C-alpha cells in the first residue's frame, strides 16, 4: 500500500462555512436562467420537427409573420452554413458544421424535436399560435433508433455520405459509424492464454438524461449598433460566446455573456441550443427576446448521454491476477457524431494495473437528439460492463470482490491502457477504506444483496482566469469565470482566505461575465475547484507581493527586505522590528496613496489535474413477487485529494450516487416504433425522488494531488461511474440472477427471476 | 376560453349543455390545467363547480357518507370519522400526485379524467360508491364501476356533472384497503392498482367482498370472481390464491412504457392478495 500523505493543517481549508450564494438560493432571490426579465422583451418559441427523420422540402413562414404580435421568424436561411471544424467544448469536441444544424435543421430533420423555425412575439400565446401557422413540407424518410440496428449495412443513413474514420482502408460505402477508435496495451492473446478463467459478456444500456431541474433559458438583447447582451444558464459563458459569435458571424467583443445561477448542468449545459436563436431573433427586432424550454423540450431536444452496447472479455488466473481485458463499445452519438465513446474506452479498465488490454469503440449515429456530456461522459457505461464482469470473476473464483480488486488495483506508476503513468492515486486507499467501513461488515436481511464497484475519472485543468481585488477597507472581491454549480464560490473564497490569512467572510466571490474577466473554459471535467483554485492562489500571491511592495515603499526599504508572515507584512533582515507590521487592511487603506488599486490576477492554463478513484458499496432488496429493487444502504468512498469544503465534496458524492441509482433502476429513453420519444417528462422518465433513496453515506479519502497547492483533485464526475455496476452486483446477489441490461426495472427483473426459476 | 363559476348544479349543467364548443368541468384542476397547458385540451368553456356547496362537503347520510365530488384528498384525510370507516379509500385519494396535488385533487376529478390508472377509482369501486349525477334532465345515480367506459370516455351525457358520491352504511367487522404498484415510492402513476373491501361475520368468515382493479384494462374493473373467491372463506391462503388467479384472469392490459402485459397480469394477482390481507386485518379490528 502506498504511503498516505499526511494532510497538512489549514485554518480555513477543510472547514464547512456557509456558502456565499446560500441565502439568496434558499430565499428565492437568486436569479436563474428564466428569472431575468428586460423591459420590452419578446417571447421566443421554437417549432420542432414531429418526425424522427425527414427532408425539409419547404418552410413557409408568411402566415405567421402576418399575425398581429409576431415580430420575427428565423429559419435555416438565417444561419450561414459552417465548414467542418472540431473545437473543444467541455470534455467533448463539437463540430460547427453540426452545431449550426443542431440549433436549426438545414437539409433534414434528424430527430423528433429538431428545431425547424423560431418566432419572437409579444406574448407566449401569440408565439404558440405563430408556430402553428408555419407550414413545413416534409419528405418523410425511414429512421433508425437502436445502436445495433444503426450499424447494420441496410440501416437508413442519418448523415448522407458519412464514411467511417479510423478504419484502414477507409470504407467505400457510407454508414452510420462516424468513427472507430482503438486503445491497445500489451498482447491480449498472450494474456488470455495465461488465464485460468475467461468470462465474456454483452451488456446494453439506455440513453439517460442529465435531469437538471432548471430547463434551458436565456434572454438576448441586440442593440441598434450591433452590440449584444446575453443572459443564459450555462456551464461556460465564454464557450457560449464563442459558439454564438461563430454562428452569427459577429466579433466576440460585441457579445457580452452573463451566466445566471445554474440549476444543474452535469455536462448538458456546455451546449448552445436557444442562445443563437434568441440572438438572431433579437438582431431582427432590436427587442430583447426571452426563451425558455419546457420540460418536454428539454427531454426531446437536449442532452442525453449515449445508450450503448458493450462486449467485455476478461481473463484471470486462479490467484485473481487479471491477465487480459478486452472490450468493444458501441455508443449512440445521436444525430451527429461525437458520442463519448473515446473517454468510455479510456476509462474501461483504468482502475486496474493490467499488462494486456484492447478496447475498441464505435461512434454511431441514429435519429435521436445529439448526446451531450453527462458527468464523466462515457465512463459509467464502460465501467458498468467491466466492473460487472469483475464481480462475476470474484464470484467464480470464490474471492472477496475487494481482495480481487486490491490484487489488481492501479497505483502510482501504473501505466494506463490509454497512455499515461499514474502519479499518486487513491484506488488502493479507497478499497482499504471500503473494507474497513461499517457498511461492508453489516449483516444483510432477507432478499437483500450487497455489491461493490470501482470507478475512475481523468479530471482536467485548462484555461482559467481569476481576478482578486483588494477593496479600500481590506475586504476582497473575487471574480471567477467558471459557473458555480457545486459550491465553487465557497471553495475559492476559502482558498483565498487561507492564502491571505484573513477570515473567509472577508472574501466575496462572484461569477463575472465575459466582458469583465479574461477567458475561462467551462465548468466541466471536474476542473473548476482545481483550476479556478490554482488561479485564485496565484492571484492571492500576487496581492501579497504587491502589498509587500507597498509596505517597502512606505518604509523606504528595499522590497526584498519585507516578508509576509501569518497575515502580516513585516520588515526583515537588518530592518526587522524597525517598523510596525502591517496587515492587508492597513495596506488597503493607503493603497491609493502608494500606487493605486491592488488587483491580483491569476490567468493560467491549469496543469497537473489528477484523477480520482472511487469505490461504491450498494445494498439492494428485491420484492420477489414484483421484481422491484430498493436500495437499502449505500456508501460512497472516493479520493478527493484534499476536500476544501467537505460538505460540498460529500454533496457531490451523494449526487453522483443518486443519479447512478436512477440510471441503474428506472431511467431510460423509451421510443415507439414511430421513432418518437414516449416519456418526455418526469412522470415516466423516472429520476429517483427523495423517498426512493437511502441516506447516502460518504467516506472522503484524501491522497493529495502534489500538483495543487492545497492538494485538490476534481471529484464531481467519478461519483457517477461506479453505481450501476455496484447495484448490478447487489441485484445479482439479492435475486440470484445476473442481469446484463439497464435499467433494472421491475418488469425486467421479475421476468429474469421467473426465467431462472423455470431453468 | 370562457370561465364560469355558478352557484348551483342546475346552472352549471345548463352552461355545459348549451356550449357548442368543447366544455370542461373544473374541480381541483390537477389534470385539466395540466392538459390545457400542454395543449392537449383547449376548451371553449370551463365551468368551475367548487362554488356549489354539495361538491365541497362531506356529510353523514343514511348511516354512510356523502362526499362532494370536489372534496380534496387532503380534506378526506382530515375527516377522522370517514378515515376510520374507509381508510383504504382515503389512502387511495392521498396517493394521487404529491402533497401539493392532494391539496387540490378530488375524487370526482380523478374519476372524470378518464384514466384507467386513477388511484381512487378501484378503491371507490371496492367501496361500492354510487355517484349522484346532475344534468339537464335532473338527477340520477350510477355505480362508479359503470362510469368510465374507456380511456377518456365516460357514461355521462352532455351537460351531466357528478355532484357527489355516496358510500354505503358499513356492516360491523368490515375493512378496506388500496395498494398500487409503482416503480418509485411516490410521485408516480399506478402500473397496477387494487382496491379490496370485505366484511366478516362473528366467526371471521368473509360474508361480503368487492375487488376493484386499475391499470390492467381499458377501464377500472369490478372483479366479481375475485370477490367470490373470498366469500364464505376465512380468507386463508387457498382463498387468496384463488382470488389472485381470478384477478389475473380479469386483466386485459397492454404493453406500454409503464409495464408489460405479463408484468401487469402477474402483479395484479400479487397486489390483490396483499390488499386483501390488509383489508382483512382492518375488518378483524373493526
Amino acid at each position: 500500500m502506498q504511503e498516505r500523505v499526511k494532510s497538512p493543517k489549514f485554518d480555513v481549508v477543510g472547514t464547512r462555512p456557509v456558502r456565499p450564494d446560500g441565502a439568496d438560493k434558499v430565499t428565492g432571490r437568486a436569479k436563474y436562467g428564466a428569472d431575468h426579465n428586460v423591459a420590452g422583451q419578446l417571447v421566443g418559441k421554437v417549432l420542432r420537427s414531429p418526425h424522427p427523420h425527414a427532408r425539409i422540402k419547404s418552410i413557409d413562414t408568411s402566415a405567421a409573420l402576418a399575425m398581429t404580435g409576431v415580430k420575427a421568424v428565423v429559419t435555416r436561411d438565417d444561419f450561414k452554413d459552417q465548414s467542418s471544424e472540431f473545437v473543444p467544448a467541455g470534455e467533448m469536441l463539437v463540430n460547427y458544421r453540426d452545431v449550426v444544424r443542431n440549433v436549426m435543421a438545414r437539409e433534414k430533420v434528424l430527430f423528433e424535436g429538431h428545431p425547424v423555425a423560431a418566432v419572437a412575439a409579444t406574448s407566449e400565446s401569440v408565439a404558440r399560435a405563430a408556430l402553428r401557422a408555419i407550414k413545413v413540407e416534409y419528405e418523410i424518410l425511414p429512421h433508425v433508433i437502436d445502436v445495433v440496428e444503426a450499424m447494420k449495412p441496410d440501416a437508413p443513413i442519418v448523415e448522407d455520405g458519412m464514411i467511417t474514420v479510423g478504419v484502414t482502408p477507409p470504407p467505400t460505402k457510407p454508414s452510420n459509424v462516424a468513427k472507430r477508435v482503438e486503445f491497445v496495451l500489451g498482447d491480449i492473446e498472450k494474456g488470455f492464454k495465461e488465464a485460468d478463467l475467461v468470462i465474456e459478456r454483452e451488456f446494453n444500456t439506455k440513453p439517460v438524461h442529465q435531469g437538471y431541474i432548471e430547463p434551458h433559458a436565456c434572454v438576448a438583447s441586440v442593440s441598434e449598433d450591433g452590440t449584444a447582451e446575453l443572459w443564459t444558464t450555462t456551464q461556460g459563458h465564454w464557450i457560449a460566446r464563442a459558439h454564438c459569435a461563430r454562428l452569427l458571424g459577429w466579433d466576440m467583443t460585441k457579445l457580452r455573456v452573463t451566466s445566471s445561477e445554474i440549476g444543474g448542468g452535469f455536462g448538458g449545459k456546455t451546449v448552445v441550443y436557444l442562445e443563437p436563436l434568441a440572438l438572431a431573433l433579437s438582431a431582427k427586432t432590436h427587442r430583447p427576446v426571452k426563451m425558455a424550454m419546457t420540460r418536454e423540450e428539454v427531454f426531446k431536444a437536449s442532452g442525453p448521454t449515449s445508450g450503448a452496447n458493450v462486449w467485455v472479455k476478461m481473463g484471470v488466473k486462479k490467484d485473481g491476477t487479471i491477465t487480459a481485458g478486452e472490450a468493444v463499445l458501441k455508443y449512440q452519438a445521436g444525430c451527429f457524431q461525437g458520442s463519448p465513446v473515446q473517454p468510455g474506452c479510456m476509462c474501461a479498465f483504468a482502475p486496474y494495473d493490467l499488462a494486456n488490454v484492447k478496447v475498441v469503440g464505435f461512434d454511431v449515429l441514429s435519429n435521436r437528439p445529439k448526446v451531450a456530456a453527462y458527468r464523466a461522459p462515457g465512463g459509467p457505461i464502460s465501467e458498468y460492463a467491466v466492473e460487472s464482469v469483475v464481480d462475476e470473476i470474484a464470484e467464480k473464483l470464490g474471492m472477496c470482490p475487494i481482495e480481487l480488486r486490491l490484487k489488481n488495483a492501479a497505483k502510482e506508476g501504473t501505466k494506463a491502457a490509454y497512455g499515461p503513468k499514474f502519479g499518486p492515486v487513491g484506488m488502493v486507499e479507497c478499497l482499504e477504506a471500503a473494507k474497513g467501513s461499517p457498511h461492508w461488515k453489516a449483516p444483510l436481511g432477507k432478499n437483500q444483496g450487497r455489491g461493490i464497484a470501482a470507478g475512475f475519472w481523468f479530471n482536467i485543468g485548462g484555461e482559467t482566469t481569476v481576478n482578486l481585488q483588494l477593496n479600500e477597507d481590506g475586504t476582497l472581491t473575487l471574480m471567477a469565470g467558471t459557473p458555480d454549480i457545486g459550491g465553487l464560490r465557497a471553495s475559492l473564497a476559502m482558498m483565498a482566505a487561507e492564502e491571505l490569512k484573513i477570515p473567509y467572510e472577508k472574501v466575496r466571490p462572484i461569477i463575472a461575465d465575459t466582458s469583465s474577466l479574461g477567458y475561462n473554459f467551462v465548468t466541466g471535467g471536474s476542473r473548476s475547484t482545481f483550476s479556478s483554485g490554482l488561479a485564485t492562489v496565484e492571484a492571492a500571491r500576487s496581492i501579497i507581493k504587491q502589498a509587500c511592495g507597498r509596505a517597502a515603499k512606505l518604509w523606504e526599504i528595499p522590497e526584498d527586505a519585507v516578508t509576509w508572515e501569518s497575515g502580516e507584512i513585516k520588515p526583515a533582515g537588518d530592518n526587522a522590528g524597525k517598523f510596525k507590521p502591517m496587515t492587508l487592511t492597513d495596506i488597503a487603506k493607503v493603497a491609493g496613496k502608494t500606487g493605486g488599486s491592488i488587483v491580483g490576477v491569476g490567468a493560467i492554463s491549469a496543469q497537473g489535474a489528477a484523477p480520482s478513484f472511487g469505490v461504491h458499496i450498494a445494498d439492494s432488496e428485491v420484492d420477489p413477487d414484483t421484481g422491484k429493487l430498493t436500495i437499502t444502504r449505500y456508501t460512497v468512498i472516493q479520493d478527493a485529494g484534499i476536500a476544501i469544503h467537505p460538505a460540498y465534496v460529500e454533496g457531490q458524492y451523494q449526487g453522483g450516487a443518486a443519479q447512478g441509482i436512477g440510471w441503474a433502476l428506472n431511467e431510460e429513453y423509451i421510443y415507439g416504433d414511430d421513432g418518437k420519444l414516449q416519456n418526455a417528462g418526469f412522470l415516466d422518465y423516472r429520476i429517483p425522488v427523495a423517498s426512493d433513496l437511502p441516506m447516502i453515506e460518504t467516506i472522503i479519502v484524501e491522497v493529495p494531488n502534489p500538483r495543487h497547492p492545497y492538494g485538490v483533485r476534481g471529484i464531481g464526475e467519478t461519483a457517477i461511474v461506479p453505481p450501476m455496476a455496484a447495484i448490478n452486483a447487489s441485484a445479482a446477489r439479492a435475486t440470484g440472477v445476473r442481469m446484463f441490461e439497464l435499467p433494472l426495472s421491475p418488469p425486467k427483473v421479475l421476468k429474469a427471476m421467473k426465467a431462472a426459476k423455470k431453468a | 376560453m370562457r370561465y364560469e363559476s355558478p352557484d348551483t348544479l342546475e346552472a352549471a349543467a345548463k352552461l355545459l349543455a348549451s356550449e357548442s364548443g368543447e366544455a370542461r368541468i373544473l374541480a381541483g384542476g390537477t389534470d385539466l390545467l395540466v392538459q390545457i397547458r400542454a395543449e392537449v385540451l383547449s376548451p371553449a368553456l370551463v365551468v368551475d363547480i367548487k362554488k356549489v356547496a354539495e361538491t365541497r362537503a362531506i356529510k353523514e347520510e343514511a348511516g354512510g357518507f356523502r362526499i362532494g365530488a370536489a372534496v380534496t384528498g387532503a380534506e378526506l384525510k382530515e375527516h377522522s370519522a370517514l378515515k376510520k370507516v374507509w381508510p383504504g379509500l382515503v389512502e387511495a385519494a392521498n396517493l394521487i400526485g404529491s402533497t401539493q396535488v392532494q391539496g387540490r385533487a378530488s375524487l370526482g376529478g380523478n374519476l372524470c379524467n378518464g384514466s384507467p390508472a386513477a388511484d381512487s377509482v378501484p378503491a371507490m369501486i371496492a367501496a361500492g360508491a354510487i355517484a349522484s349525477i346532475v344534468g339537464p334532465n335532473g338527477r340520477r345515480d350510477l355505480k362508479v364501476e359503470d362510469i368510465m367506459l374507456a380511456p377518456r370516455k365516460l357514461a355521462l351525457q352532455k351537460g351531466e356533472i357528478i355532484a357527489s358520491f355516496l358510500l354505503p352504511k358499513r356492516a360491523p367487522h368490515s375493512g378496506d384497503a388500496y395498494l398500487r404498484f409503482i416503480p418509485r415510492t411516490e410521485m408516480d402513476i399506478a402500473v397496477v392498482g387494487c382496491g379490496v373491501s370485505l366484511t366478516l361475520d362473528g366467526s371471521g368468515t368473509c360474508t361480503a367482498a368487492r375487488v376493484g382493479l386499475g391499470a390492467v384494462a381499458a377501464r377500472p374493473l369490478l372483479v366479481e370472481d375475485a370477490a367470490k373467491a373470498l366469500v364464505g372463506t376465512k380468507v386463508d391462503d387457498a382463498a387468496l390464491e384463488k382470488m389472485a388467479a381470478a384477478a389475473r384472469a380479469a386483466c386485459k392490459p397492454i404493453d406500454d412504457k409503464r409495464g408489460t402485459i405479463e408484468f401487469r397480469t402477474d402483479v395484479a394477482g400479487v397486489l390483490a392478495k396483499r390488499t386483501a390481507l390488509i383489508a382483512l386485518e382492518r375488518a378483524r379490528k373493526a
Side-chain angles (χ1 to χ4, degrees), chain A residues 72-360:
Chain A
V73 180
V74 292
T75 65
R76 56 189 177 178
D77 299 337
D78 294 275
F79 297 90
K80 211 176 88 207
D81 202 358
Q82 301 286 331
S83 56
S84 185
E85 181 194 342
F86 284 93
V87 295
E91 284 155 309
M92 297 163 57
L93 293 173
V94 299
N95 185 336
Y96 280 125
R97 182 246 168 228
D98 297 338
V99 174
V100 73
R101 281 167 177 74
N102 200 33
V103 300
M104 193 61 87
R106 291 185 89 81
E107 302 85 2
K108 299 199 291 184
V109 289
L110 300 171
F111 61 96
E112 184 213 6
H114 202 157
V116 178
V119 302
T122 47
S123 75
E124 173 144 356
S125 58
V126 173
R128 284 180 184 277
L131 295 184
R132 289 192 289 270
I134 296 172
K135 292 185 196 80
V136 185
E137 204 186 335
Y138 295 102
E139 175 197 339
I140 293 173
L141 302 170
H143 62 267
V144 61
I145 297 294
D146 179 71
V147 65
V148 176
E149 293 293 318
M151 289 178 79
K152 288 185 176 164
D154 57 345
I157 298 294
V158 177
E159 185 176 324
D160 300 336
M162 194 175 72
I163 298 292
T164 309
V165 173
V167 179
T168 20
T172 51
K173 231 185 111 202
S175 76
N176 290 317
V177 181
K179 188 170 71 170
R180 179 186 183 277
V181 292
E182 185 178 297
F183 295 86
V184 178
L185 181 72
D187 177 354
I188 50 159
E189 292 315 318
K190 185 174 150 278
F192 283 123
K193 270 187 204 139
E194 290 165 10
D196 297 315
L197 171 70
V198 174
I199 293 183
E200 189 183 328
R201 294 293 188 196
E202 187 179 341
F203 298 85
N204 284 291
T205 76
K206 291 288 173 60
V208 291
H209 197 272
Q210 294 81 349
Y212 30 82
I213 295 305
E214 180 201 24
H216 297 269
C218 66
V219 182
S221 182
V222 183
S223 87
E224 283 72 5
D225 69 1
T227 57
E229 292 189 348
L230 175 66
W231 163 276
T232 186
T233 175
T234 178
Q235 288 175 245
H237 33 318
W238 277 265
I239 288 280
R241 181 181 71 168
H243 290 351
C244 292
R246 173 67 175 255
L247 296 190
L248 296 161
W250 297 352
D251 289 341
M252 285 186 191
T253 192
K254 288 194 168 177
L255 178 55
R256 179 180 188 176
V257 186
T258 305
S259 69
S260 69
E261 287 291 353
I262 178 167
F266 311 108
K269 287 180 183 160
T270 55
V271 184
V272 292
Y273 297 107
L274 300 176
E275 295 90 340
L277 309 181
L279 285 163
L281 288 166
S282 182
K284 277 197 167 180
T285 57
H286 293 304
R287 295 266 298 267
V289 175
K290 179 170 178 174
M291 298 184 82
M293 284 195 196
T294 62
R295 181 61 58 185
E296 186 182 348
E297 289 178 294
V298 171
F299 274 113
K300 285 188 174 170
S302 77
T305 192
S306 309
N309 172 272
V310 181
W311 173 87
V312 175
K313 182 178 172 186
M314 293 179 81
V316 62
K317 286 186 185 167
K318 276 186 195 133
D319 70 353
T321 308
I322 299 172
T323 57
E326 187 181 4
V328 178
L329 279 54
K330 298 167 182 169
Y331 277 32
Q332 293 161 359
C335 62
F336 299 109
Q337 60 182 297
S339 77
V341 73
Q342 182 150 333
C345 289
M346 292 157 76
C347 278
F349 294 100
Y352 303 108
D353 187 357
L354 304 184
N356 307 298
V357 176
K358 183 179 176 186
V359 187
V360 175

Side-chain angles (χ1 to χ4, degrees), chain B:
Chain B
M1 189 180 85
R2 193 158 57 99
Y3 170 85
E4 299 282 356
S5 54
D7 297 325
T8 65
L9 289 164
E10 290 67 27
K14 201 172 163 193
L15 280 164
L16 290 165
S18 57
E19 173 60 47
S20 57
E22 192 175 8
R24 290 280 159 170
I25 299 166
L26 173 69
T30 57
D31 286 308
L32 181 64
L33 297 188
V34 173
Q35 288 163 13
I36 291 173
R37 290 228 171 94
E39 298 183 331
V40 174
L41 292 176
S42 41
L45 171 68
V46 169
V47 177
D48 186 343
I49 57 166
K50 290 194 292 298
K51 283 194 183 158
V52 180
E54 182 184 342
T55 71
R56 295 283 301 122
I58 304 173
K59 282 183 181 157
E60 295 197 29
E61 182 179 312
F65 290 94
R66 181 166 293 282
I67 302 173
V71 171
T72 68
E75 287 164 336
L76 296 177
K77 198 160 70 177
E78 294 290 309
H79 198 288
S80 52
L82 178 75
K83 205 178 158 187
K84 193 160 174 278
V85 183
W86 294 103
L89 174 61
V90 173
E91 284 165 8
N94 285 284
L95 286 173
I96 301 167
S98 59
T99 302
Q100 291 92 327
V101 168
Q102 287 146 21
R104 301 288 296 178
S106 63
L107 295 181
N110 199 221
L111 174 60
C112 294
N113 180 49
S115 161
D119 282 308
S120 67
V121 180
M124 280 201 282
I125 290 174
I130 294 161
S132 178
I133 298 164
V134 173
N137 305 317
R139 198 180 271 265
R140 64 174 177 135
D141 284 347
L142 202 55
K143 290 175 186 161
V144 166
E145 59 266 32
D146 294 333
I147 290 179
M148 197 189 139
L149 305 174
R152 314 285 167 211
K153 196 162 180 272
L154 305 177
L156 297 182
Q157 303 302 311
K158 189 173 167 68
E160 283 195 322
I161 303 159
I162 297 181
S164 59
F165 298 95
L166 181 69
L167 299 180
K169 183 174 168 20
R170 212 59 169 130
H173 307 303
S174 294
D176 78 329
Y178 174 79
L179 289 178
R180 65 174 182 178
F181 182 86
I182 53 171
R184 285 188 288 213
T185 47
E186 58 179 325
M187 302 286 288
D188 216 325
I189 199 157
V191 180
V192 179
C194 181
V196 173
S197 170
L198 52 81
T199 301
L200 306 176
D201 65 15
S203 71
T205 300
C206 178
T207 56
R210 286 175 67 89
V211 177
L213 276 179
V216 293
R219 55 187 284 190
L221 303 174
L222 172 69
V223 189
E224 287 174 337
D225 287 346
K228 277 185 203 153
L230 299 180
V231 175
T233 75
K234 299 268 186 192
V235 194
D236 50 16
D237 286 350
L240 288 168
E241 279 308 324
K242 213 173 149 196
M243 179 222 189
R248 288 188 177 113
C251 293
K252 286 186 198 70
I254 51 167
D255 277 328
D256 72 359
K257 61 191 174 188
R258 293 183 185 136
T260 58
I261 291 170
E262 184 190 349
F263 181 76
R264 286 189 153 113
T265 309
D266 275 346
V267 172
V270 173
L271 282 196
K273 275 194 283 186
R274 291 181 182 178
T275 314
L277 284 172
I278 298 170
L280 177 67
E281 193 57 30
R282 286 173 174 167
R284 283 176 178 159
K285 285 180 183 162

Side-chain angles (χ1 to χ4, degrees), chain A residues 637-698:
Chain A
I637 302 121
Q638 192 185 321
D639 177 17
I642 292 285
I644 299 296
H645 193 307
Y648 301 149
V649 171
E650 289 158 2
Q652 289 291 319
Y653 289 3
Q654 291 168 324
Q659 287 186 313
I661 290 169
W663 195 334
L665 294 187
N666 281 307
E667 291 182 39
E668 60 178 315
Y669 266 46
I670 302 170
Y671 281 88
D673 291 338
D674 58 3
K676 296 184 186 185
L677 183 63
Q678 294 189 339
N679 58 335
F682 281 133
L683 181 58
D684 286 304
Y685 182 89
R686 294 186 170 80
I687 65 171
V689 298
S691 54
D692 292 336
L693 301 172
M695 178 63 195
I696 294 163
E697 297 162 59
T698 56

